[in-house]
Amino acid sequence: MRRFLLLAAVLASPAAAQTATPADAVQAVAHAGRQVIAYLPDLQTAPLAQALKKAASSQVRVYLIAPRNAHMISGSFLPSVALANAEKPPLPLSYHFRTLNAPAFVIVDNRLGFLGSGLTTGGSDVRPMTASEIAPYVKSSTDAIKTSPAQPARVLIKERYGLKY
């Protein structure tokens, strides 16, 4: 908890207003308290995938939104994350097929957000969202979640690997 508060304080400071790293997003997701909303057109970086699974295993509600065939991209960690909801009892993770008119983003507890292609690649193109940016992204995400049913992990695994699950 102390680390999360320190991270939040650092990100709220004016000096940090324009810069962030993928590691900042990973730390925020791993220490989420209530919910994580992630729109990831692709996910080629293991640390964010692990953080999303860790959040779900800590009983944090995780909403993963991705385009219809994002799990089919070679090297994508999206199927791995989706498998987190296959445990018994299922973890609070839902995977929704939807393409948003937005870059990759992650919103933690509707208070802290990160935006940029570095979330999917691990590159340096990541910036923190301002408080005024978070609300519209939460709204568009909520609309996408409500209009697209959660996809069971077995659908993604069958499509990606041709295996029955």
Side-chain angles (χ1 to χ4, degrees), residues 104-146:
F105 65 84
V106 173
I107 299 171
V108 178
D109 297 332
N110 291 349
R111 294 184 323 222
L112 187 61
F114 298 89
L115 184 69
S117 63
L119 295 169
T120 62
T121 64
S124 62
D125 181 27
V126 177
R127 70 172 181 81
M129 291 180 170
T130 64
S132 62
E133 286 178 309
I134 292 174
Y137 280 97
V138 169
K139 182 177 179 350
S140 67
S141 300
T142 302
D143 293 344
I145 291 164
K146 285 180 182 176

Side-chain angles (χ1 to χ4, degrees), residues 81-102:
V81 176
L83 279 173
N85 73 355
E87 294 185 18
K88 300 290 183 209
L91 296 178
L93 182 139
S94 58
Y95 189 104
H96 302 269
F97 291 144
R98 181 66 64 180
T99 300
L100 301 178
N101 187 18

Side-chain angles (χ1 to χ4, degrees), residues 17-28:
Q18 299 300 318
T19 61
T21 66
D24 296 332
V26 167
Q27 285 296 314

